[in-house]
Amino acid sequence: MKSPFTLDYAPPVGVPLPLRAGLQVVTAPNASPMTFRGTNSYILGDSRVAIIDPGPDDDAHFRALMAATRGREITHILVTHSHIDHSPLARRFDAPVYGFGDKGAGRSAMMTALAAQGGLAGGEGVDHEFSPDIRVADGQVITGDGWTLEALHTPGHMANHLCFAWEGALFSGDHVMGWSTTLVSPPDGDLTQFMASLRALQDRSEDTYFPGHGAVLENAQDMLAYQLAHRLGREDQILAELATGPNHIPAITKRIYADLDAALLPMARRNVFSHLIDLSARGIVTHNGPLGVDSRFELAR
């Protein structure tokens, strides 16, 4: 399947750009290999507004958002998930913060047990202090001045991840983006949950996504299909490697991500680990000793 990624997106940092009537985006100055051009902070509404994903705790970005909302009341701060490029700035606004829960909210029983076991590493960029003022449940409707959102719990990239449906579109956070596939790093990320969340979005009608990073994603249903096919393809690659004999994560990763920049290999190893946890839970793969990043994996007999 042809890659649908859009990589030529180059928004001005700190400048509010109109996307639709009642919707603007301001890009944070935190571009990186993991955040693309920077975090997208969305301003929803007219005279009384919500900010979706306020972003990193950055003075320049805070000033940019305050300038973009000057003369308007900020009534809601909505957070898709508690990674440090999305949630920390929420604490600097004088408005209630809405989110699914703290860093561990929404974890599956399997990931909870694995996290308690220790030795999994992970924890990339988690905002450990995040605690919303108002906890939002799956399917909950949030209303403001002239706008209505439906919250959708979409765990996978992080257990407390939410998307927000609005007028036939979706604020998709880091669950689905148009510039890259999504990192799933245990125990905060959970591939089993991620795949289920992708399939749940396929059952909905939204086809325009406003992601946490990168350009507006049109034809989002095509991206959902691509992401699912991509993950199933990775699973096939991992199983093919294990068909040659037992192996460890670094060696598997090096072979199936042969063309990847070496700087990104640590993140790729986390993705492979997420697949192996899922395959282990399904009884397709086994491992020696307690499940961990140093385990040797092999096909179940």
Side-chain angles (χ1 to χ4, degrees), residues 204-222:
R204 296 183 60 89
S205 61
E206 293 88 6
D207 204 28
T208 297
Y209 286 7
F210 300 110
H213 308 274
V216 175
L217 180 57
E218 308 288 355
N219 304 314
Q221 289 293 329
D222 291 344

Side-chain angles (χ1 to χ4, degrees), residues 13-17 24-26 43 46 49 51 58-74 89 93:
V13 171
V15 177
L17 301 178
Q24 299 171 294
V25 63
V26 179
I43 301 171
D46 293 313
V49 303
I51 296 177
D58 179 272
D59 289 341
H61 191 50
F62 179 69
R63 290 193 298 269
L65 288 173
M66 293 303 291
T69 57
R70 187 167 293 127
R72 299 186 283 175
E73 181 186 357
I74 301 170
L89 201 62
F93 292 93

Side-chain angles (χ1 to χ4, degrees), residues 5 18 21 61 66 94 106 115-116 128 192 199 214 226 281 293:
F5 297 141
H61 191 50
M66 293 303 291
D94 186 20
H128 296 281
T192 304
R199 292 184 175 112
Y226 175 85
V293 293

Side-chain angles (χ1 to χ4, degrees), residues 251-265:
I252 296 170
T253 305
K254 187 175 181 179
R255 286 183 60 85
I256 68 175
Y257 286 89
D259 298 326
L260 189 66
D261 185 328
L264 297 177
L265 279 174

Side-chain angles (χ1 to χ4, degrees), residues 52-224:
I52 300 172
D53 278 348
D57 189 6
D58 179 272
D59 289 341
H61 191 50
F62 179 69
R63 290 193 298 269
L65 288 173
M66 293 303 291
T69 57
R70 187 167 293 127
R72 299 186 283 175
E73 181 186 357
I74 301 170
T75 60
H76 298 66
I77 302 293
L78 299 138
V79 173
T80 61
H81 65 292
S82 57
H83 275 146
I84 59 172
D85 55 324
H86 288 260
S87 60
L89 201 62
R91 294 186 279 274
R92 295 176 65 172
F93 292 93
D94 186 20
V97 177
Y98 292 70
F100 187 79
D102 63 16
K103 64 179 183 178
R107 269 187 183 167
S108 65
M110 177 177 67
M111 286 301 168
T112 299
L114 286 172
Q117 168 187 306
L120 290 188
E124 291 84 2
V126 173
D127 180 0
H128 296 281
E129 298 179 16
F130 180 74
S131 181
D133 300 308
I134 299 173
R135 294 191 173 227
V136 178
D138 180 48
Q140 183 172 333
V141 173
I142 305 167
T143 59
D145 186 9
W147 54 264
T148 299
L149 296 170
E150 179 189 1
L152 307 173
H153 184 215
T154 49
H157 173 65
M158 194 166 182
N160 65 1
H161 196 288
L162 291 170
C163 292
F164 299 100
W166 171 69
E167 295 186 357
L170 192 79
F171 296 97
S172 60
D174 284 3
H175 186 62
V176 182
M177 299 173 287
W179 72 280
S180 174
T181 55
T182 297
L183 173 68
V184 178
S185 179
D188 304 297
D190 183 328
L191 186 70
T192 304
Q193 289 185 330
F194 182 71
M195 297 292 277
S197 294
L198 288 176
R199 292 184 175 112
L201 291 184
Q202 283 189 312
D203 292 334
R204 296 183 60 89
S205 61
E206 293 88 6
D207 204 28
T208 297
Y209 286 7
F210 300 110
H213 308 274
V216 175
L217 180 57
E218 308 288 355
N219 304 314
Q221 289 293 329
D222 291 344
M223 181 61 79
L224 290 174

